[in-house]
Amino acid sequence: MSDHMSDPAQDAEGPAIEMIGVNKWFGAYHALRDIDLIVARGERIVICGPSGSGKSTLIRCLNRLEAHQSGRIIVDGIELTADLRRIDEVRREVGMVFQHFNLFPHLTILENCTLAPIHVRKLARAEAEELASAYLRKVQIAEQADKYPGQLSGGQQQRAAIARALCMSPKIMLFDEPTSALDPEMVKEVLETIIGLAEEGMTMVCVTHEMGFARQVADRVVFMDDGAIVEINRPEAFFTAPKHERTRLFLGQILK
Amino acid sequence: MPGATQDRRPASAQAFVRQGPAPAQPPPASESFAGGLRGNLFGDWRTSLATLAVLTLVGLALPSLLRFLIFDAVWSAPDGELCRAPGAGACWAFIAQKLPYFIYGSYPESQRWRVDVTMFVGAVLIVWLLWLDAPARRLAAFLFFVAYPLQGFILLHGAPALGLPRVETHLWGGVFVSLLVASVGMVFSLPLGILLALGRRSRLPALKLACTGFIEFVRGVPMITVLFMANTMLPLFVPEDLAPDRLARPLIGVALFASAYMAEVVRGGLQAIPRGQFEGAAALGLRPWPTLRLVVLPQALRHVIPGVVNSFISLFKDTTLVAIVGIFDFLKTIEAARQDPAWAGPTISATGYIFAALFYFAFCFGMSLYARFVERRLGSAAA
């Protein structure tokens, strides 16, 4: 495993994420079926599809919130197995933003952001707070730093969650329906934050129903149905000339 | 309606465009405190009737209660003579005379300063710990949980090498033993309860079974049984010269009994933590133990403050049961004192028990108030 880590030059050449023949079952239910997906460094992938199609399960396998049962998942050169040290290494490289934010309600926004830097990266408190303040400014909620999550609007909470993930200086960001739980008027501010990140060249995988956003930032769009990948294409081709019948049906339902 | 258009057609039939601002107005009088009170007490004839009924009951009970407790009470007397007079109220003179016994039990008079010092130090440390804004609370915690038990044990039990004669535990008694049993029970039951609750939720089947078994067994038997078992069975399991002291046995029993209840209270709090909290922590790279310590337990324990305090209060009152294995706790000293022929009289028992009730109520209500204060503080934090 050390050879994965010791050669940054080789790391930089390899893809950010490789999924090779990944299968996953929940009990008897076949949730992910022969998933093959390679994400290049700096690439922005948007995953869409009807609910229950396995989008969230796929993205949650990438930092082992869910364990896959067959196939290989290699993130930043580290293969995910039951080995806890590798899981730790991957989670240090991969930030995640959830549909329901999952901020820690008993901590202030600043404390939410400094918790992992202090206890995982072992930064000094002052250093972690400086880092957190910088990211909170970046997502434009610096003035909310000393409030508790419950005192913020949904959009502000989600931006705080993004800042919290960024504080671990991840190489890859995963977004699991980051705007689905938000009131309509707050979707824009969160998407703009994510677009800002995308423009800086962050590698990201985003599950979303925001097709305008997908068209704007995605390098490739992945369409899933029934646990399998149905179609992968560049956004203009995906939206204007979908090839698979299932994709056309889906797009027909959500775009008028 | 200033600013609104003056169209009187039904709402469904009209378009509406507000012409001016809609300023906030004060609420109607019934929403104010005084208005609400009037409405709640004398809103209609039924509430008025209920209010009057309650006032009548209080009016009937209060005067005789006050007469017994205060106006007809005997405040000072050398013995029970005055208290035996017909019509005499509570015999507070009896309490005053027996107070040292109620506090120290049979602890030798010349050595009672040792109890005083220990209780004083304990009180200072507890105030330090409970005062949320106090400086250096970590130091307070260290002193209270590590240094203080040692100091207390040496001072109370004695160390001939230091010139402190031994005072065997069968002489200990009164308030000080009640407080000792209660604080040992509280201090051990919370951490033990947390460990048991975590064990019960563990994925390791052996650990889970052991913790569940312990909790269910201890909860399934009466406290008195646990005390008897601690008293008679603990000595069987250890070599004779290591057998725990006769006071230590019920202490262990009380702590184990309380921890089983505490475990279930804490488990309720753990179950209230949504899965997203574990996932959020995991995605940040936090391992299971830091997640528990930094994310899960702080939230879970906040949820269960009322339950924990409830357990503490019932534990505090359950300490009276240690009398059954021969420990002279506060209630037992009252039991013993009221047998004194010099003070025999019709009001002695009532006075003694009222005094005991006031003592237990003061402590339990104090805990309840403090818990309410903490909840409000934390509630405003994690809104």
Side-chain angles (χ1 to χ4, degrees), chain B residues 18 24 79 88 127 142 177 180 197 232 301 311-312 346 350 371:
Chain B
R18 178 168 286 284
D79 55 30
V127 168
F142 170 78
V177 159
L180 175 75
T232 56
L301 293 180
S311 289
F312 279 174

Side-chain angles (χ1 to χ4, degrees), chain A residues 60 63 65-66 84-85 88 91-92 94-96 98 102-107 112 115-116 119-120 148-151 164-165 168, chain B residues 274-288 290-291 293-299 302-303 378 380-383:
Chain A
R60 288 159 60 85
N63 63 353
L65 287 183
E66 305 284 357
L84 291 177
R85 275 175 308 164
D88 280 347
R91 285 179 181 168
R92 233 171 288 145
V94 177
M96 187 162 197
F98 298 87
N102 296 358
L103 291 170
F104 306 130
H106 63 301
L107 299 177
N112 263 279
L115 188 77
H119 290 97
V120 180
Y148 289 88
Q151 298 168 302
R164 180 177 75 171
M168 290 296 284
Chain B
R275 218 172 67 147
Q277 292 291 303
F278 292 89
E279 292 180 348
L284 286 169
L286 283 166
R287 293 203 149 177
T291 301
R293 186 169 62 84
L294 300 165
V295 175
V296 176
L297 278 179
Q299 294 186 60
R302 259 167 226 216
H303 286 310
L378 297 180
S380 64

Side-chain angles (χ1 to χ4, degrees), chain B residues 180-196:
Chain B
L180 175 75
V181 177
S183 36
V184 166
M186 291 177 198
V187 165
F188 282 95
S189 68
L190 188 57
L192 274 179
I194 291 173
L195 290 179
L196 284 169

Side-chain angles (χ1 to χ4, degrees), chain B residues 189-213:
Chain B
S189 68
L190 188 57
L192 274 179
I194 291 173
L195 290 179
L196 284 169
L198 293 175
R200 190 169 185 169
R201 284 165 53 94
S202 166
R203 259 171 294 178
L204 309 174
L207 184 61
K208 185 180 169 128
L209 192 69
C211 291
T212 309

